[in-house]
Structures are given as structure tokens and as C-alpha cells.
Amino acid sequence: MRHPVYGDPSFDAFERVPGNPIHTGAPPYGWPVNGFFFPDPVSGNWYIYVGDYVTGYVGRLPNRCILYRSKNRGQTWENLGVILHGDAQMFDKNGNTPDVSVVFEGGRYHMVYDWTLPDRKDGGLAYAWAEKPEGPW
């Protein structure tokens, strides 16, 4: 959101938490650019789902989603690894599945995620559910 007089929004009012960054990219996954924060109402744990992209958004490897969990409200984070990625057995035909959103409703965790084919000729949104925030999805 922009305002012609006040300008762009400022994040100066936010306080950086010690221990940042939570995740840093490394080749070939050098662009972890989209994160989704989920405070689990059941366990009280905090989760961050990271859209983990191949550097430059291109390459032979599929983009993926990795998950971090904090059991102490963000003081420390545990890398739980890849929880969602392109798979030939899934409908996404070995595509990319990096960015997610998660909610808890009706005793289940519901995820909406994006997917694209490696050549970007097809893609869209998909849905999955799990019994716990870590999956399996």
C-alpha cells in the first residue's frame, strides 16, 4: 500500500528477534524467498513454512517447501526439512511446490499451495490436509 504524501510503508517499528536469520539459502537452493508463519493453536508451537527456490528460479531441481518449528516461541528453531516437493506420483507431475498457507479447522490442518511444471507451462493452486502441522501432507 502506498500513499502519495506519506510514501511507502515502513517496517522500522518492528523489532528484530535475536537469532535471525532463521534460514539462509545455499546453492542450489539460494533463494528462500517466501515464508509463512503459523502459530499452532493445538500444540502452541510456532512454525515457518519456507518457499525454497532454486537460485534464479530456474534449474533442473524442483522448488520445494521446508519447515521450521519453534517450541519456545521463536527463541530457537529446528529445521524439520523438506515437507513438500514435486513428485512424479502426485498430480503435479514432478512440478514445483514451494509456497504454502496453513490453517487449523475441524481437527485438521489445511494447506493451500502453489505448483508449476518445471517449464512453467502449467500451474495453479492445490489443497492438502494433515493430522499435524509437520504432515505428511
Side-chain angles (χ1 to χ4, degrees):
M1 187 168 74
R2 298 190 69 182
H3 189 277
V5 175
Y6 300 120
D8 293 324
S10 172
F11 297 98
D12 294 339
F14 286 88
E15 184 175 325
R16 185 179 171 116
V17 176
N20 276 322
I22 295 167
H23 177 78
T24 303
Y29 291 96
W31 287 11
V33 295
N34 298 321
F36 179 79
F37 173 73
F38 177 69
D40 182 18
V42 177
S43 68
N45 294 334
W46 287 3
Y47 293 88
I48 294 181
Y49 297 82
V50 178
D52 203 24
Y53 287 82
V54 174
T55 304
Y57 298 117
V58 294
R60 293 180 180 242
L61 298 172
N63 299 316
R64 61 197 186 168
C65 179
I66 58 175
L67 181 61
Y68 281 81
R69 175 178 58 202
S70 176
K71 295 181 177 181
N72 54 15
R73 300 182 58 81
Q75 293 177 30
T76 58
W77 292 91
E78 175 186 9
N79 184 342
L80 301 178
V82 176
I83 60 149
L84 191 65
H85 59 86
D87 185 328
Q89 301 304 312
M90 296 174 59
F91 77 93
D92 65 10
K93 308 170 193 144
N94 262 351
N96 298 296
T97 56
D99 301 327
V100 308
S101 295
V102 176
V103 297
F104 179 77
E105 175 62 39
R108 286 187 174 161
Y109 296 88
H110 304 270
M111 174 189 285
V112 174
Y113 63 95
D114 62 344
W115 69 274
T116 65
L117 292 178
D119 62 8
R120 310 292 194 264
K121 290 184 179 178
D122 196 7
L125 293 176
Y127 166 81
W129 63 268
E131 299 291 336
K132 55 186 181 175
E134 299 89 348
W137 297 94

